[in-house]
Amino acid sequence: MAAVQTSGEKALNRVAIVAVLVITLIFLAPIYWIVSTSFKPRNLSTTIPPTIVFTPEVSPFVKLFTKRSQLREPPTAEEYAAAPWWERMVFDGGEKVVRDGKGNVQWSAYPNRFMNSLIVAITSTVLAVSMGTITAYGFSRFRVKGEADMLFFILSTRMLPPVVVAIPMFLMYRAVGLNDTHWGLIILYTAFNLSFSVWLMKGFIDEIPKEYEEAALVDGYTRMEAFFKIVIPEAATGIAATAVFCFITAWNEYAFALIMTNRRAQTAPPFIPSQVGSGLPDWTVIAAGTFLFLLPVAIFTFLLRNHLLRGMSFGAIRK
Amino acid sequence: MAHIQLKNVTKKFGNHTALRHLDLDIADGEFFVLLGETGAGKTTTLRIIAGLEKPTEGQVLIDGVDVADWGAAERDVALVLQQYSLYPRYTVRQNLEFPLKSKLRRVPDAEIAERVARVAKTLRIEHLLERKTDKLSGGEMQRVSIGRAIVRKPRVFLMDEPLSALDAKLREALRTELKNIQMNLGQTFLFVTHDQIEAMSMGDKIGVLNHGHLVQTGTPNEIYNNPKNTFVARAVGSPPMNLIDGKLVSGRAVMAPLNFELPYEGAANGNVEGRALTFGIRPEDLVVESGAPVEAKVHDVENHGVEKILTLRVGDAMLRATVPAQTHLAIEDAVRFSWNPEKVVLFDQKSGNSLKHAG
Ligand SMILES: Nc1ncnc2c1ncn2[C@@H]1O[C@H](COP(=O)(O)OP(=O)(O)OP(=O)(O)O)[C@@H](O)[C@H]1O
Ligand SMILES: [Mg+2]
């Protein structure tokens, strides 16, 4: 009987589905806005009301990846004819692509900033998750003196809003030469994520029966081997979930990236809004940069989706 | 091959004492069963021998060598647990290979394959070898766990209630199988259980554990016929020994408060006369026959096939007696019974200790 729904339950179900759809649409609207703007011609990007129907073009992406300058006068017919298709798009927008003395196209800083974001986010995620897993294992499996206090201390490092320490951190970083370096941001993000990673991983490791490792110890393996052969595969789901959370935090971080970096190690979040174009802000270029910036998290989450579905329930459903 | 000794082992968890001054001696090749209720300290004893837990006090000796400083890996024991002993992500074959692939042992690949094949055959799990262990039934899992222990040829097998999660039929089958394996291997087994039938049917020797205290060790016969105290008398036997309070008065057992008398022929050494005693008699040594001295009502009849177990009501006490299956008795029938006086065990009523053991 439990599987049979009454008509009342059915109606309730429908209402729930509609509600979920509406909420999903509300959440997706800004994403649609960004994605559509990144394919709009510049003159349609700021119309009121917003243009919904338009012919999509890739000029925002061309502009995103190249260095441009304002044209004083329109290109000559030969210049225009000699230019490749993508350069014509820049001409059409009243700008020209900057070339060096040998005629090589000058790239914009975007690819480099994007790489910085990847380097910083991936490295800090790997560090936070691996250190967090080992720490959590220690707390979970051994009698640690003052365990509760230490765990609380670890958690308490999260209670302070990070921006509060931005200025002292900036001064400290400047003193030790970590300003505008990859390692500077990596250390910072690892520190942010570590407490979270320890707590989350402790929950997952507590769920793994210690009998598995003990069986391995008795079978002639060291604690280390048992950890890698038994615990890590069992904790894979938890590691995936923790990694996604850490990656998202590091990838999206704005305030510290803005303060601590300006060129060499600058990540994409502070860079994208800084490129408001030569002259008036070109929102299509900003949208294109934002759109590409959204992709890694989406891809990363998608790749780990099987682990996440189980991991997000925080071990409630293990099978 | 190993001779296991525990000397004066005490284990405390915080201020809770799990084991007190435990002395245990398990001879080489012996099937030793540790019997005890839940919380008695059985698992703790095994974990201490396996090296997963350090005793608070006392020594563990394997073949006469104190192994205090040896890790679990070096002790070369095999441990079979009630549950969670198989690695869930591995196939049955990988589980069986796992202990052989340890760096400590360095078994050549060809030998690994051969040993796994032989064990799989012994335990009839050949058809399961490529299966993932989380898809196995309880009985199959326990077979594989046992297999993982025997591929290794360890010095001693430690088994923590390996059969308790199984249904009765399977338990019985695996009981016989395990006993056969032990006899074929000729190795030392320490088997832990709270099931006295398991203990009686499998053990060469039984140790009865009560609240971390080893009450009695002996062969199943000694434990059964000559329990050291009323705790053991109650713990072993199904149904357990009848215990009746009373006194010895000039060669007769006078029950009080039950108020009946039976002849007693045992050697009454000295000061037993008049002392408050508890008479212990096994159900099979209660004789139900017409003309016997004591009258009782049949309270319940349980048919066990080969025999019937009667519950007799005497006053407000219940006594158990076994009778042949052919006996026809109905509830509330009046019957008469006596006992086999040679089989009566005397316990001091206050301490519960058997007078025979006290000397
Ligand atoms: N790690 C531990 N920390 C604290 N107390 C423990 C620990 N392990 C066991 N104990 C306690 O020690 C006592 C003996 O436990 P043990 O597991 O040896 O019992 P057992 O005889 O195996 O019982 P069961 O039949 O239920 O398995 C119990 O009271 C238990 O609560
Ligand atoms: Mg136990």
Side-chain angles (χ1 to χ4, degrees):
Chain A
M1 288 307 279
V4 180
Q5 287 183 325
T6 65
S7 57
E9 277 171 337
K10 258 185 199 157
L12 211 67
N13 244 339
R14 292 225 182 91
V15 173
I17 289 171
V18 171
V20 168
L21 276 176
V22 169
I23 292 170
T24 310
L25 283 179
I26 293 173
F27 275 103
L28 285 179
I31 294 178
Y32 170 76
W33 195 320
I34 283 292
V35 175
S36 66
T37 305
S38 68
F39 288 99
K40 275 179 188 169
R42 186 173 180 177
N43 56 350
L44 293 184
S45 65
T46 50
T47 55
I48 296 171
T51 316
I52 305 288
V53 183
F54 59 94
T55 322
E57 53 179 68
V58 294
S59 63
F61 294 93
V62 173
K63 292 186 208 159
L64 177 66
F65 283 103
T66 51
K67 224 178 205 165
R68 292 151 290 127
S69 62
Q70 291 282 319
L71 277 174
R72 295 222 176 70
E73 52 216 44
T76 59
E78 300 101 75
E79 264 179 336
Y80 195 82
W85 61 270
W86 48 267
E87 199 169 350
R88 286 181 204 157
M89 289 179 168
V90 180
F91 282 139
D92 293 344
E95 290 175 319
K96 71 175 201 278
V97 175
V98 176
R99 290 173 185 268
D100 68 4
K102 293 189 200 118
N104 293 322
V105 174
Q106 295 288 289
W107 291 90
S108 75
Y110 185 76
N112 169 270
R113 303 303 194 256
F114 197 89
M115 264 321 275
N116 286 344
S117 264
L118 280 177
I119 292 169
V120 169
I122 291 175
T123 314
S124 70
T125 300
V126 168
L127 285 177
V129 173
S130 52
M131 282 159 52
T133 305
I134 293 170
T135 311
Y137 180 78
F139 276 118
S140 175
R141 292 301 196 253
F142 299 100
R143 284 162 172 259
V144 183
K145 262 216 181 108
E147 174 174 331
D149 294 335
M150 281 206 259
L151 280 171
F152 180 77
F153 169 73
I154 290 173
L155 187 66
S156 71
T157 61
R158 275 240 136 187
M159 295 176 185
L160 192 73
V163 200
V164 173
V165 293
I167 302 302
M169 286 299 296
F170 175 78
L171 297 175
M172 283 157 70
Y173 265 40
R174 198 174 57 185
V176 295
L178 277 171
N179 264 345
D180 202 16
T181 61
H182 289 130
W183 278 113
L185 280 189
I186 289 169
I187 292 171
L188 215 53
Y189 293 169
T190 305
F192 286 170
N193 278 329
L194 197 53
S195 68
F196 180 66
S197 160
V198 168
W199 271 79
L200 210 54
M201 284 314 299
K202 174 149 190 311
F204 284 110
I205 291 177
D206 282 344
E207 292 271 312
I208 304 171
K210 68 180 190 334
E211 281 82 354
Y212 291 148
E213 292 144 72
E214 290 180 345
L217 292 184
V218 171
D219 277 345
Y221 289 84
T222 62
R223 175 70 68 176
M224 206 60 148
E225 288 170 321
F227 176 74
F228 283 111
K229 280 179 198 282
I230 309 294
V231 180
I232 293 292
E234 280 298 299
T237 291
I239 291 174
T242 311
V244 167
F245 283 126
C246 292
F247 184 79
I248 291 174
T249 310
W251 184 254
N252 290 345
E253 206 285 326
Y254 177 75
F256 277 89
L258 183 68
I259 298 166
M260 301 295 192
T261 62
N262 45 46
R263 293 171 56 85
R264 251 184 324 149
Q266 192 181 42
T267 54
F271 172 77
I272 294 171
S274 77
Q275 298 303 296
V276 281
S278 52
L280 286 173
D282 187 343
W283 291 107
T284 64
V285 177
I286 292 170
T290 308
F291 170 47
L292 292 185
F293 181 73
L294 293 176
L295 289 179
V297 170
I299 293 169
F300 188 46
T301 313
F302 181 76
L303 290 179
L304 293 177
R305 69 193 178 286
N306 286 336
H307 283 298
L308 288 176
L309 280 181
R310 286 180 289 162
M312 293 297 183
S313 58
F314 292 97
I317 308 163
R318 297 190 77 243
K319 180 66 198 160
Chain B
M1 295 282 134
H3 171 204
I4 308 287
Q5 284 166 290
L6 299 194
K7 287 196 172 155
N8 194 28
V9 167
T10 296
K11 176 70 190 175
K12 291 184 182 157
F13 293 108
N15 45 19
H16 174 84
T17 309
L19 295 176
R20 304 156 206 270
H21 309 295
L22 195 75
D23 285 305
L24 200 60
D25 198 310
I26 305 170
D28 187 16
E30 194 166 69
F31 197 114
F32 192 99
V33 179
L34 205 53
L35 175 68
E37 295 167 8
T38 178
K42 306 180 297 285
T43 302
T44 307
T45 311
L46 286 195
R47 291 171 58 85
I48 285 175
I49 297 174
L52 294 172
E53 210 83 68
K54 277 200 185 312
T56 314
E57 209 182 291
Q59 291 174 297
V60 179
L61 290 87
I62 300 182
D63 283 335
V65 182
D66 188 337
V67 292
D69 300 328
W70 296 17
E74 297 151 311
R75 295 194 185 188
D76 198 11
V77 302
L79 189 57
V80 180
L81 301 175
Q82 187 175 341
Q83 52 176 348
Y84 294 135
S85 39
L86 296 178
Y87 307 119
R89 258 152 235 274
Y90 290 3
T91 62
V92 170
R93 182 189 296 285
Q94 286 166 329
N95 263 283
L96 293 175
E97 286 171 345
F98 193 76
L100 299 175
K101 290 200 161 158
S102 131
K103 288 200 195 84
L104 212 69
R105 266 176 271 282
R106 298 180 187 284
V107 184
D109 284 351
E111 193 185 334
I112 293 182
E114 193 232 296
R115 280 213 226 169
V116 168
R118 203 168 47 218
V119 166
K121 195 160 169 229
T122 316
L123 291 167
R124 288 175 283 124
I125 48 175
E126 288 153 300
H127 58 292
L128 302 174
L129 281 175
E130 310 310 328
R131 294 254 294 272
K132 280 263 165 50
T133 53
D134 50 1
K135 303 276 165 9
L136 301 180
S137 76
E140 290 166 343
M141 279 195 193
Q142 280 316 17
R143 277 221 175 76
V144 178
S145 306
I146 294 165
R148 206 182 60 196
I150 61 184
V151 271
R152 251 181 57 191
K153 306 185 178 152
R155 307 218 290 180
V156 56
F157 288 87
L158 305 175
M159 308 212 164
D160 192 357
E161 312 202 31
L163 310 181
S164 64
L166 308 178
D167 64 66
K169 251 231 166 85
L170 209 76
R171 196 153 52 200
E172 217 165 292
L174 273 182
R175 207 148 74 196
T176 322
E177 235 165 89
L178 255 185
K179 184 71 195 167
N180 282 337
I181 289 169
Q182 192 264 340
M183 289 200 288
N184 290 337
L185 297 174
Q187 278 187 309
T188 316
F189 271 53
L190 174 52
F191 186 98
V192 153
T193 181
H194 63 262
D195 179 350
Q196 54 93 18
I197 299 182
E198 229 163 75
M200 295 296 290
S201 59
M202 298 174 84
D204 294 328
K205 260 206 180 146
I206 297 177
V208 183
L209 205 55
N210 180 24
H211 289 308
H213 205 85
L214 192 64
V215 184
Q216 185 176 11
T217 49
T219 63
N221 261 334
E222 284 164 11
I223 302 263
Y224 189 77
N225 294 323
N226 203 356
K228 191 166 177 183
N229 58 24
T230 49
F231 175 82
V232 178
R234 258 182 287 218
V236 176
S238 155
M241 188 179 254
N242 296 299
L243 296 170
I244 317 162
D245 289 347
K247 279 182 186 158
L248 266 188
V249 180
S250 51
R252 291 182 66 77
V254 181
M255 307 308 177
L258 279 190
N259 198 19
F260 63 83
E261 283 186 34
L262 282 168
Y264 179 74
E265 292 168 7
N269 41 345
N271 56 351
V272 175
E273 279 279 326
R275 187 164 146 192
L277 296 174
T278 299
F279 296 92
I281 185 80
R282 291 279 171 199
E284 61 272 25
D285 298 318
L286 271 189
V287 189
V288 177
E289 58 190 5
S290 53
V294 189
E295 193 183 297
K297 282 268 169 69
V298 177
H299 186 76
D300 189 29
V301 183
E302 275 176 50
N303 196 339
H304 284 239
V306 285
E307 61 187 16
K308 281 180 177 159
I309 296 174
L310 301 184
T311 306
L312 303 177
R313 196 169 66 235
V314 187
D316 52 5
M318 299 295 173
L319 300 179
R320 309 287 210 110
T322 49
V323 294
Q326 305 84 291
T327 319
H328 286 289
L329 278 172
I331 289 173
E332 292 304 321
D333 281 356
V335 293
R336 301 192 76 79
F337 73 91
S338 68
W339 66 18
N340 178 353
E342 288 168 22
K343 293 294 184 105
V344 176
V345 185
L346 300 186
F347 301 98
D348 181 72
Q349 203 180 103
K350 238 192 9 265
S351 65
N353 289 332
S354 163
L355 297 188
K356 230 184 228 172
H357 283 268

